[in-house]
Amino acid sequence: MTIMYSLLSALFTIFLYFNPASATSPYETAEYFASYDRVAESHENVELFESLGIGVSDETSVDMKREIHYAPLNTNWPTITIDDEFYDGYATIPFEETIEGELLHLEWDAPIPDVAGRVIVLPTTDVSYEAMEDAYEIDYYGEVLNDEAANRYLTKLAEANAAGYLITPHPYAPEEYGFAYVSAALRLNGAGVDRITAESFQDGQTVAIEPFTDEIPYVEFTQPGTTDKEVIVMARLEGSWYGDHALTGLGGASVLYHTLQAMDDVETDATVRYVFLNGTGDGYESSTHYLQMLQDRGTTPRVIMLLDILGTGETNRFFKTSGMTTYPFMEGIGFGPVEVKSLGVSILDEYKQAGFPVISVNDSVTAHNDVYTDKDTISRLSDEAMRDHVKWLSEWLTLQ
């Protein structure tokens, strides 16, 4: 009995340490977030989002309405159907549109026959095979290590109205999926297949390649206000491809989580919505899904604020708005010494196009150069800076 009690006590202590509600500092919360597998649709990431706001006791739980939303996610694993047989494919870029046509085997740089409406079967090139291990460590969108010769030929196939392509495994990697390192701008869609699927292909067969859609969770907390004003504060806690995504994710999400704790049971004029976004690197999937819900709801918030590259403490706090616009709500406390910079391409662009006022909060001018690199790590964050942001944001929200 004593041994069992000790074991349970140890497990409870570990849970206390790793539960974000029990973390004593934003940096500890960032470490907690970083400890998870944050692949957007992974089981562990689902557990992370389901745990947000739930403490180990009533005192540590957040007393706000908590909703878990589920955004659709186009995966890299399309379904391939031939003669009522189903196979898996692998696409280097998330697969979004159905392809259907007759199979036709070709070799790279072979003269192009009538390929209109056909799905072209090609082998993995040596260039793509050699880049297979580290291609996406260099650039998330595939614009640095493209297989240029393959891209040129696939472009010619697109111009000849081919329906799509399928890539068979390289001879040196027969147990791997076929791989074509293509540009995100390529106008021809396709996928790789494994050896067993490739061996079943025969010219003239009709093949259908369809997206496989998964769901990714994200969390919204709502703090009711006493007026009809509304403020939305967002942070990204999305999947990480390289590094910790500390610059765009961990810092802002940790600041948001501790702001949530600080604002619990605080009365505000405005209804405040705290949203932890999830996605495949930019929070894009959940952001788009939330925008649609916002439009369906028919309300216009006073501001939608994204806690972007936040927590580095490298410069003073500054804001980015579309076209360096200032808004009436920026005339209040805390905005006097703040510099306003132009908002670049971000998930907020869609909100701006939909007519919503948007700003992003930042504290590093240069950190965007290190996003998606080996420099994008938790060591870039400052607990002192994150505490300062929590204090400022909490004070500002009470006046909205």
Side-chain angles (χ1 to χ4, degrees):
M1 180 63 72
T2 302
I3 295 174
M4 180 60 70
Y5 177 81
S6 299
L7 178 60
L8 291 174
S9 297
L11 289 173
F12 182 74
T13 301
I14 292 171
F15 181 71
L16 264 178
Y17 179 75
F18 283 106
N19 189 283
S22 67
T24 59
S25 74
Y27 198 91
E28 287 182 355
T29 298
E31 290 179 318
Y32 169 82
F33 290 149
S35 70
Y36 269 81
D37 169 16
R38 298 200 326 275
V39 174
E41 71 277 30
S42 75
H43 178 71
E44 191 172 359
N45 206 32
V46 170
E47 291 180 342
L48 170 60
F49 279 89
E50 289 179 344
S51 75
L52 294 181
I54 300 176
V56 295
S57 68
D58 291 340
E59 288 73 24
T60 55
S61 294
V62 176
D63 188 22
M64 294 185 192
K65 180 182 178 183
R66 170 181 172 273
E67 292 181 271
I68 299 181
H69 304 302
Y70 293 91
L73 172 68
N74 287 319
T75 70
N76 296 68
W77 300 93
T79 300
I80 299 171
T81 308
I82 306 173
D83 296 335
D84 296 326
E85 293 289 333
F86 296 94
Y87 305 91
D88 291 328
Y90 172 72
T92 56
I93 295 172
F95 200 87
E96 298 182 355
E97 297 181 3
T98 297
I99 296 172
E100 189 170 359
E102 290 187 357
L103 291 173
L104 177 64
H105 285 77
L106 289 178
E107 293 294 327
W108 295 102
D109 291 327
I112 297 177
D114 180 9
V115 295
R118 295 192 174 187
V119 176
I120 310 305
V121 183
L122 294 158
T124 298
T125 67
D126 291 341
V127 172
S128 285
Y129 167 71
E130 291 168 1
M132 194 179 299
E133 291 298 321
D134 59 358
Y136 283 91
E137 291 183 357
I138 303 300
D139 183 80
Y140 175 77
Y141 293 102
E143 297 293 346
V144 175
L145 293 181
N146 288 333
D147 187 338
E148 298 294 350
N151 275 256
R152 283 194 293 271
Y153 190 68
L154 291 171
T155 298
K156 291 179 181 178
L157 290 173
E159 292 171 348
N161 296 316
Y165 64 87
L166 289 167
I167 306 296
T168 61
H170 192 276
Y172 292 162
E175 302 308 315
E176 301 288 341
Y177 279 82
F179 182 92
Y181 191 26
V182 299
S183 166
L186 187 70
R187 294 185 294 110
L188 191 67
N189 205 358
V193 296
D194 61 16
R195 176 179 54 82
I196 294 175
T197 306
E199 290 174 350
S200 71
F201 288 163
Q202 296 180 26
D203 284 355
Q205 287 179 307
T206 298
V207 61
I209 313 170
E210 301 174 283
F212 178 77
T213 303
D214 206 341
E215 290 184 327
I216 56 174
Y218 66 104
V219 184
E220 174 186 20
F221 295 87
T222 303
Q223 180 178 20
T226 59
T227 69
D228 59 359
K229 293 187 296 185
E230 182 172 299
V231 173
I232 297 174
V233 187
M234 296 178 164
R236 292 175 291 202
L237 192 54
E238 73 284 348
S240 58
W241 281 73
Y242 200 79
D244 292 324
H245 277 203
L247 297 173
T248 58
L250 295 182
S254 300
V255 169
L256 183 60
Y257 200 85
H258 280 261
T259 301
L260 188 71
Q261 302 290 327
M263 293 297 292
D264 200 24
D265 296 327
V266 174
E267 185 175 283
T268 57
D269 288 346
T271 292
V272 184
R273 299 181 184 275
Y274 307 86
V275 184
F276 293 84
L277 300 173
N278 186 13
T280 55
D282 288 312
Y284 176 78
E285 291 84 1
S286 57
S287 172
T288 301
H289 185 259
Y290 190 76
L291 173 59
Q292 185 61 58
M293 290 198 302
L294 195 60
Q295 291 173 312
D296 292 343
R297 201 162 64 219
T299 58
T300 299
R302 194 177 190 203
V303 62
I304 298 174
M305 175 187 288
L306 175 67
L307 308 182
D308 196 7
I309 296 176
L310 199 67
T312 70
E314 293 175 4
T315 64
N316 293 327
R317 186 184 301 109
F318 64 90
F319 297 88
K320 291 185 177 181
T321 72
S322 184
M324 298 182 70
T325 302
T326 59
Y327 300 106
F329 65 81
M330 295 177 69
E331 298 171 3
I333 185 171
F335 279 90
V338 169
E339 184 178 359
V340 178
K341 300 177 183 294
S342 182
L343 180 68
V345 175
S346 79
I347 58 175
L348 291 180
D349 285 346
E350 289 189 347
Y351 288 83
K352 177 65 178 177
Q353 292 166 8
F356 296 113
V358 296
I359 61 174
S360 69
V361 188
N362 303 256
D363 69 359
S364 175
V365 176
T366 60
H368 68 276
N369 296 318
D370 297 328
V371 172
Y372 302 133
T373 73
D374 56 358
K375 297 180 180 179
D376 190 356
T377 66
I378 194 172
S379 63
R380 296 290 293 273
L381 300 181
S382 160
D383 189 62
E384 181 181 359
M386 287 190 285
R387 286 178 187 271
D388 179 62
H389 295 318
V390 170
K391 182 177 182 294
W392 176 88
L393 187 57
S394 301
E395 291 177 352
W396 183 76
L397 287 171
T398 61
L399 300 176
Q400 299 311 300

